[in-house]
Amino acid sequence: MTAFLEEFKQAADGQRHDVVMNLVRKILEDILGAQKLTALTPEAELKSLGVGSLQALEVRKRLGTELASTLPATLFMETPTLDSLVTYVENRAKKSL
């Protein structure tokens, strides 16, 4: 079990969304840089941050590693906003427990 999944498992139900949000924001920050995330709201489209196809692949790869799972190639088409991506990852993490 990955460190993220262990933290997710230990978190109370009401805190799990925040655990996932922190992970997703950290990955996006690492890939895109902190400056691009300063105005990021949950409803913001990830494309507006400048997430191109190469960055989307890297985000998907890193999230998959944290979830110990393979994520679909269509992830960013299915989850165009930060909130939808976090919700998707949270649901996948629940299934992994």
Side-chain angles (χ1 to χ4, degrees):
M1 183 173 287
T2 67
F4 162 73
L5 286 175
E6 189 62 44
E7 180 182 2
F8 184 83
K9 180 180 176 182
Q10 305 272 332
D13 286 339
Q15 295 174 330
R16 286 182 169 176
H17 189 80
D18 291 338
V19 169
V20 176
M21 178 68 79
N22 290 338
L23 171 70
V24 171
R25 287 185 71 90
K26 170 77 171 100
I27 290 172
L28 287 171
E29 184 177 297
D30 288 350
I31 293 170
L32 301 173
Q35 291 178 329
K36 291 203 176 190
L37 296 184
T38 56
L40 182 63
T41 64
E43 305 83 26
E45 294 222 359
L46 296 171
K47 282 185 179 181
S48 70
L49 293 174
V51 176
S53 58
L54 292 177
Q55 291 93 353
L57 286 172
E58 183 62 23
V59 171
R60 182 176 64 104
K61 177 181 155 192
R62 290 186 54 187
L63 287 172
T65 298
E66 294 294 340
L67 290 167
S69 177
T70 302
L71 300 179
T74 57
L75 179 65
F76 274 80
M77 289 183 281
E78 295 171 15
T79 61
T81 65
L82 176 62
D83 196 47
S84 63
L85 179 59
V86 168
T87 299
Y88 178 88
V89 172
E90 183 176 2
N91 289 334
R92 287 293 291 257
K94 286 177 185 174
K95 291 178 184 177
S96 296
L97 299 181

